[in-house]
């Protein structure tokens, strides 16, 4: 299930673009849960889904990165997906100590996996 609480959206005055990215990010996780049978207790599974969600949701779009003051240009999308995945994986208590290693181990194949948006990125 994906739940966005309207009262929180209003309370924090989130821009529509942020809401759209958040929903897309969570829908990537939902897709991964159905397609890949993600075990949300397995740090490698979590890392892969976080890499994919960061890449596919718009989390790493130029404007989103600019707003975060992350101003790299060369390979910035990959650097962003790696950074954001590490932060998300580290938020899981049982993965905090191995977040960077987990993301590194899965990064290449998971960053390359564009499903279900294959045509958008080809």
């Amino acid at each position: 299930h994906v739940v966005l609480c309207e009262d929180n959206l209003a309370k924090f005055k989130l821009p529509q673009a942020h809401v759209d990215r958040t929903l897309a990010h969570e829908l990537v996780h939902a897709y991964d849960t159905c397609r890949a049978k993600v075990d949300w207790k397995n740090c490698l599974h979590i890392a892969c889904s976080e890499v994919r969600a960061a890449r596919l949701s718009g989390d790493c779009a130029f404007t989103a990165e600019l707003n975060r003051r992350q101003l790299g240009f060369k390979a910035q999308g990959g650097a962003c997906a790696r950074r954001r995945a590490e932060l998300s994986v580290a938020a899981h208590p049982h993965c905090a100590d191995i977040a960077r290693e987990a993301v590194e181990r899965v990064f290449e194949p998971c960053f390359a996996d564009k499903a279900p948006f294959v045509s958008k990125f080809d």
Side-chain angles (χ1 to χ4, degrees):
H1 295 94
V2 175
V3 177
L4 298 178
C5 298
E6 185 274 333
D7 57 333
N8 283 336
L9 300 178
K11 177 180 173 182
F12 295 109
K13 296 183 171 86
L14 297 173
Q16 187 63 48
H18 181 87
V19 175
D20 293 348
R21 283 193 312 271
T22 300
L23 182 57
H25 181 107
E26 296 307 322
L27 288 172
V28 171
H29 291 319
Y31 178 84
D32 287 349
T33 298
C34 294
R35 177 190 71 151
K37 310 282 190 267
V38 173
D39 174 359
W40 291 102
K41 293 178 182 160
N42 181 317
C43 298
L44 296 175
H45 288 199
I46 294 167
C48 186
S49 191
E50 291 297 349
V51 166
R52 287 177 29 75
R55 179 178 191 207
L56 299 173
S57 66
D59 281 349
C60 293
F62 179 77
T63 53
E65 282 288 82
L66 191 61
N67 288 335
R68 292 183 198 107
R69 311 247 189 299
Q70 297 289 332
L71 303 175
F73 289 96
K74 184 174 177 150
Q76 183 61 28
C80 172
R82 186 176 268 113
R83 185 184 73 251
R84 295 192 56 81
E86 285 178 18
L87 290 169
S88 293
V89 174
H92 292 260
H94 63 284
C95 298
D97 294 339
I98 63 166
R100 176 167 283 165
E101 177 187 347
V103 170
E104 283 305 314
R105 285 185 57 192
V106 302
F107 187 80
E108 292 302 325
C110 297
F111 189 77
D113 182 359
K114 300 169 278 190
F117 303 110
V118 176
S119 63
K120 179 179 177 182
F121 294 97
D122 285 342

